[in-house]
Amino acid sequence: MAAAHLTRHFPEVDLLHIFDPAIPPIGVGEGTTPGFRIWLDEIAPVEFESLQRQCLATRKCGVQFENWGSVKPVFRHDFVPPAANGLHISASRVIPFLQGYVRAELVTGHVTEVVSSDSGAEVRMAGGSSASADLVVDARGFPPLLTDDHLRLSWVPTNSALVTRCPQPRESPWTRAVARPHGWIFVIPLTDSTAYGYIHGGEHASTGEIEADFHEFLASEQVESFAEPRAIRYPNFVCRRPFDGRVFRIGNAASFVEPLEASSLAVVRIQLELVEFWLRRYPLMALGRLEQHVVSTLNDRIRDLILELSLFIGWHYASGSIYDTPFWRSARARFRQGLLELVPKEIGTRLVEQLQHASRLPLERIRAIRSAADLDRLVAQFQEFPRPFGGISPIGFAQLREGLSDAVEAE
Ligand SMILES: Cc1cc2nc3c(=O)[nH]c(=O)nc-3n(C[C@H](O)[C@H](O)[C@H](O)COP(=O)(O)OP(=O)(O)OC[C@H]3O[C@@H](n4cnc5c(N)ncnc54)[C@H](O)[C@@H]3O)c2cc1C
């Protein structure tokens, strides 16, 4: 995404695209939001039918929550207006697709270190070769270890996934997020197959128990054949300083919040817009002379976005599910501790305000929105419509409040 974005917006710069073909991309990340679709239309403008063919894409209207909270067995977080849909897209196909929109010198190599200085950055590779650049976008995926440079988002209660794919396509315009005793399961429809993933907390049940519950779910969905599930562990974190003035970490290298609302690629888009803004505002030559507080402002903005997003995700867990199990009890306690003790007070306060505001937005009005003009009319009628929290508008909060209780306001 970064290479394609820079190709599109800075055709005049010399771009070096370095990657290690021995390290596969993570291979998950198939649910997206309308922001990703808008980005894709700008970078790689092709018809939906072509995306279907090349990237196995299906249209996504939002996320359907099943068995979350205690108010309604099924409720949805729909994209509004409905025309602004997202996509389900093959994680392995979208990479070669985007590669067609990258104009860069391709270098294969294993990056061992990226060192920045006032005059630029040096990318060192195994075998002794290196490359210098004015700006480096570091998208090497999850950091091997979390250190003091990372802020842990301990109130997000999951850290592991079991993922599989079944060759039967299941047509659905929603990603399904189905609560289970030890976490939740995503169901993502592509044109040729369906992706399933059991997202869980690792420590509350044995691997055997989680596998058994996953199999039980798949059997209940009449999924007869599926690939051997692959286990993935992930940290929920944000880099304290994703950008140092020369090196901009993005994607899983910079932050991660579990995939309940499929927000990662939307965050990448925001990060790329910040890179772009930065390059337009500050010519490359001037980068080294910038005051550090300018860099810090940008880092604070990214950190706050991820803190908000992590609280938004935590809120989903705060009202529990139909299961009263160690996982769900611990998830609620962790959210409570995060909100009351760990997250900066002003961010917690903004979450409460956002929920209070959402409670005043009538759902029937939201459901009646058909166009961007309808949406504008609604926003205009509700004075002091707050800015998005974690990238989520008050409309999203209002829809989710239908199924998630007022657990946060009660705190
Ligand atoms: C279970 C799960 C489900 C998810 N679902 C969603 C979802 O539905 N929607 C969503 O938006 N996101 C989702 N995500 C997040 C998803 O991981 C990200 O959206 C995105 O795919 C991450 O891409 P990345 O490029 O940052 O990292 P990666 O895919 O890990 O890519 C890293 C790249 O860097 C290269 N590389 C690594 N180290 C080196 C090195 N030393 N030298 C040179 N090259 C190197 C590798 O070759 C690789 O290509 C999910 C994540 C998980 C764990």
Side-chain angles (χ1 to χ4, degrees):
M1 283 177 72
H5 192 90
L6 292 172
T7 299
R8 166 82 172 71
H9 290 285
F10 298 94
E12 71 286 2
V13 310
D14 294 326
L15 196 59
L16 217 59
H17 187 188
I18 306 174
F19 61 94
D20 181 353
I23 307 175
I26 191 164
V28 277
E30 306 197 313
T32 69
T33 57
F36 177 78
R37 181 82 194 269
I38 293 167
W39 177 85
L40 198 61
D41 282 347
E42 183 181 277
I43 301 297
V46 298
E47 295 297 319
F48 175 68
E49 288 66 30
S50 176
L51 284 177
Q52 273 185 310
R53 220 174 29 256
Q54 297 189 63
C55 301
L56 313 175
T58 64
R59 284 200 174 88
K60 174 179 169 187
C61 298
V63 182
Q64 173 166 294
F65 291 86
E66 300 173 27
N67 299 333
W68 287 77
S70 52
V71 188
K72 277 194 105 190
V74 177
F75 55 95
R76 290 180 184 144
H77 179 186
D78 282 326
F79 301 135
V80 175
N85 53 49
L87 295 170
H88 299 115
I89 197 159
S90 158
S92 56
R93 294 275 195 103
V94 74
I95 295 171
F97 171 74
L98 282 175
Q99 196 69 50
Y101 294 85
V102 173
R103 202 171 42 255
E105 185 188 335
L106 290 184
V107 176
T108 56
H110 181 78
V111 175
T112 50
E113 208 179 356
V114 184
V115 184
S116 52
S117 68
D118 273 359
S119 57
E122 192 189 346
V123 180
R124 296 182 185 152
M125 286 170 266
S129 58
S130 69
S132 359
D134 294 307
L135 186 91
V136 172
V137 177
D138 184 353
R140 278 179 289 168
F142 289 136
L145 272 181
L146 292 194
T147 65
D148 288 347
D149 296 340
H150 306 102
L151 197 62
R152 289 158 208 261
L153 311 174
S154 62
W155 48 94
V156 178
T158 66
N159 59 15
S160 309
L162 266 184
V163 295
T164 187
R165 191 174 294 284
C166 118
Q168 268 167 288
R170 294 278 167 123
E171 261 184 52
S172 165
W174 289 279
T175 296
R176 290 170 58 206
V178 187
R180 298 297 295 180
H182 314 301
W184 63 277
I185 291 176
F186 65 72
V187 183
I188 296 187
L190 297 179
T191 55
D192 75 332
S193 59
T194 308
Y196 296 87
Y198 199 130
I199 306 295
H200 60 95
E203 68 267 31
H204 301 288
S206 68
T207 311
E209 283 170 311
I210 288 160
E211 279 171 357
D213 191 49
F214 200 12
H215 285 215
E216 191 181 313
F217 173 80
L218 293 169
S220 72
E221 299 270 310
Q222 284 88 45
V223 177
E224 279 143 22
S225 68
F226 51 90
E228 179 65 22
R230 174 166 70 104
I232 302 175
R233 274 186 77 84
Y234 55 81
N236 297 288
F237 76 100
V238 57
C239 284
R240 290 181 198 276
R241 246 178 130 234
F243 183 45
D244 68 1
R246 288 292 179 185
V247 181
F248 210 123
R249 280 178 278 185
I250 67 163
N252 287 355
S255 66
F256 187 70
V257 181
E258 73 131 82
L260 185 54
E261 289 271 0
S263 45
S264 293
L265 295 178
V267 169
V268 171
R269 179 183 172 221
I270 295 171
Q271 290 163 332
L272 290 176
E273 280 169 356
L274 289 172
V275 174
E276 185 188 332
F277 164 81
W278 189 263
L279 286 175
R280 291 199 195 288
R281 179 80 177 73
Y282 304 110
L284 287 172
M285 297 302 292
L287 284 179
R289 294 198 295 271
L290 286 173
E291 296 283 342
Q292 272 308 309
H293 76 86
V294 184
V295 175
S296 299
T297 304
L298 191 140
N299 282 327
D300 292 351
R301 199 168 146 189
I302 296 173
R303 187 203 52 218
D304 286 357
L305 170 78
I306 302 299
L307 284 175
E308 289 179 1
L309 182 62
S310 66
L311 269 193
F312 170 65
I313 295 297
W315 169 55
H316 292 65
Y317 289 95
S319 33
S321 74
I322 61 166
Y323 302 102
D324 182 21
T325 55
F327 170 79
W328 285 96
R329 286 195 290 275
S330 145
R332 293 170 82 151
R334 283 167 76 153
F335 174 73
R336 189 170 194 281
Q337 192 197 22
L339 180 70
L340 299 181
E341 297 171 27
L342 303 175
V343 170
K345 209 165 176 44
E346 63 277 10
I347 293 186
T349 306
R350 286 222 315 111
L351 173 65
V352 175
E353 284 168 3
Q354 188 75 240
L355 286 165
Q356 284 167 349
H357 188 86
S359 70
R360 294 193 286 271
L361 287 173
L363 266 183
E364 59 280 11
R365 290 287 309 280
I366 294 175
R367 292 204 181 104
I369 294 174
R370 289 284 162 271
S371 63
D374 291 346
L375 177 59
D376 288 346
R377 267 192 294 278
L378 180 72
V379 172
Q381 269 175 26
F382 284 83
Q383 286 171 0
E384 293 164 28
F385 206 77
R387 66 184 161 91
F389 181 88
I392 311 299
S393 84
I395 298 222
F397 278 90
Q399 293 181 63
L400 287 164
R401 276 185 99 266
E402 190 184 22
L404 304 175
S405 72
D406 294 336
V408 176
E409 284 130 287
E411 306 285 3

